Amino acid sequence: MSGTLYVVGTPIGNLGDFSPRAIETLESCDFIAAEDTRVTLKLLNHFGIHKPLVSYYEHNRRERGEEILSRILGGENCALVTDAGMPAISDPGEDLVRLCHDHGVPVCAVPGPCAFATALAISGMTAGRFTFEGFLSVSKQSRRTHLQEVKQERRTMIFYEAPHKLLATLQDMYAVFGERNIAIVRELTKIYEEVIRTTFSEAIARFEAVPPKGEIVLIVEGAPAPQCEEVTLEDAVAKARAMVADGASPSDAAKAAAKESGFKKGDIYKALVQ
């Protein structure tokens, strides 16, 4: 009988956010798969947890994933953690979760802090509908391509960004999206937690003068609804006249123009025959 993969959320800054259930899970599992074993070891030491650690990160995820799967299939329970937040969210843990599902291994969630949801909750931005876009590429061309793909996205967009890349990202977004309202949420749950509600142009000026610090969640207002040209009754009548000139009966022309414009057929017909 196989073991279980536990996907365990870890604090994104404040260690007080680590849940009792998460601590219990790490204490009871057979081993822990960690993005950076050095970071996770500090967390374990703080809570007095002593468990074997296995590194699992972007550049070893294929071969290490198979090794972890083999151990779980052999009956061991594994806890998957990332440096901060929920594993598998913009994180290589996604591959391990999928691998376990593909082989019939039970995957159990031990929820914890998640940076993008936490940032959105305190940003004051529209949160009814949103899309999480993760990290943009370090390549300027790939970054621009990504932004062009979401240029017309009307939902609130959420991005992760490192401080040394933020200014270039804001400049590219301003060039592609035009002016938008944004929220820059930095240092979540830490001493210097801050929400900066601003616009692209104001943020660019701010960070050109003083470089940003801390890990950042960038929340961008969605694209405005497309402006529809208002159709007048005169426009609808002109449309109907053109149909009549092409051979349609006044009644059929008025009916078709009414369907397109939203005006009543009778009003269009009356103006048409006068």
Side-chain angles (χ1 to χ4, degrees), residues 131-200:
T131 173
F132 175 60
E133 296 295 324
F135 286 98
L136 291 168
S137 173
V138 295
S139 161
K140 186 177 181 69
Q141 182 176 352
S142 297
R143 188 165 63 241
R144 283 289 185 103
T145 299
H146 185 156
L147 295 177
Q148 287 289 350
E149 290 173 353
V150 297
K151 180 179 180 179
Q152 301 304 324
E153 175 59 66
R154 292 177 60 187
R155 293 171 294 180
T156 299
M157 293 178 284
I158 307 174
F159 299 84
Y160 284 164
E161 196 51 277
H164 66 279
K165 287 171 49 193
L166 179 64
L167 183 57
T169 293
L170 291 171
Q171 291 168 336
D172 283 348
M173 286 182 170
Y174 190 26
V176 174
F177 296 157
E179 189 71 291
R180 299 254 187 112
N181 292 316
I182 63 173
I184 298 168
V185 186
R186 54 180 294 274
E187 294 291 84
L188 276 168
T189 76
K190 300 173 185 175
I191 295 174
Y192 297 107
E193 177 179 285
E194 181 180 29
V195 178
I196 305 169
R197 289 171 53 83
T198 182
T199 62
F200 283 133

Side-chain angles (χ1 to χ4, degrees), residues 56-114:
Y56 177 84
Y57 57 96
E58 179 64 30
H59 299 296
N60 75 351
R61 57 190 168 90
R62 299 190 188 283
E63 60 272 20
R64 191 54 56 82
E66 293 291 344
E67 296 172 15
I68 294 170
L69 174 65
S70 178
R71 292 181 64 173
I72 297 174
L73 289 173
E76 294 185 78
N77 292 323
C78 173
L80 172 66
V81 299
T82 187
D83 288 353
M86 280 301 293
I89 304 297
S90 198
D91 173 81
E94 174 186 356
D95 287 359
L96 181 59
V97 170
R98 185 183 301 112
L99 188 64
C100 286
H101 280 303
D102 289 345
H103 287 81
V105 169
V107 178
C108 181
V110 183
C114 180

